[in-house]
Amino acid sequence: MTSHYARITDQTVRRHWEQATKVNIKGERVVLDPDGPLGQAQWAKTRYGIAPQTLPNGYCGLPVQKTCPHANACLTCQVFLTGPEFLPELREQRTRTLTLIDNTKSCGHSRMTEMNQQVADNLDRMIGEMEDDQETENAS
């Protein structure tokens, strides 16, 4: 009986995963075709690779077997994904990042300003895409 319920739960999680909006650091929607030739492999990678690496503002798409050399650089990492469920955290992080940019500019720390501006730009694109998606859904 446990395996029956585990299968139902897995099917439910997969259905939600397939329907979920996924956005990368460029603000581009990530579409994974569940019925494509690699659908099962994509799901397995997601199911067993991303879930254990949940971040406060999204998910790391790096396979579990690999280590990340970019401590706390997720918003500039090509395998970072996020979705609408993280909009409050992303908006808060954007506010903190803009404050940090103002502080680094006023102190003349141009490299820190540049690095944080890249994060702010990525946050703007991700938040913008998800807000556009929500407006489209609400209009329908």
Side-chain angles (χ1 to χ4, degrees), residues 21-24 57-59 80-87 90 126 130:
T21 300
K22 297 164 198 71
V23 178
N24 67 20
N57 54 0
Y59 305 97
F80 177 77
L81 299 172
T82 193
E85 67 271 26
F86 295 105
L87 271 170
L90 293 168
M126 289 183 283
M130 288 183 278

Side-chain angles (χ1 to χ4, degrees), residues 28-98:
E28 300 166 338
R29 187 175 298 252
V30 177
V31 180
L32 303 172
D33 180 8
D35 297 321
L38 299 177
Q40 284 297 112
Q42 290 170 337
W43 167 243
K45 178 182 174 191
T46 300
R47 177 80 163 94
Y48 300 109
I50 292 177
Q53 299 181 66
T54 303
L55 304 166
N57 54 0
Y59 305 97
C60 177
L62 190 68
V64 177
Q65 301 87 346
K66 297 191 176 197
T67 57
C68 179
H70 311 289
N72 298 318
C74 296
L75 291 173
T76 58
C77 179
Q78 295 298 318
V79 295
F80 177 77
L81 299 172
T82 193
E85 67 271 26
F86 295 105
L87 271 170
E89 290 86 353
L90 293 168
R91 288 180 182 127
E92 183 180 326
Q93 187 167 4
R94 182 183 181 280
T95 299
R96 289 192 319 268
T97 301
L98 292 176

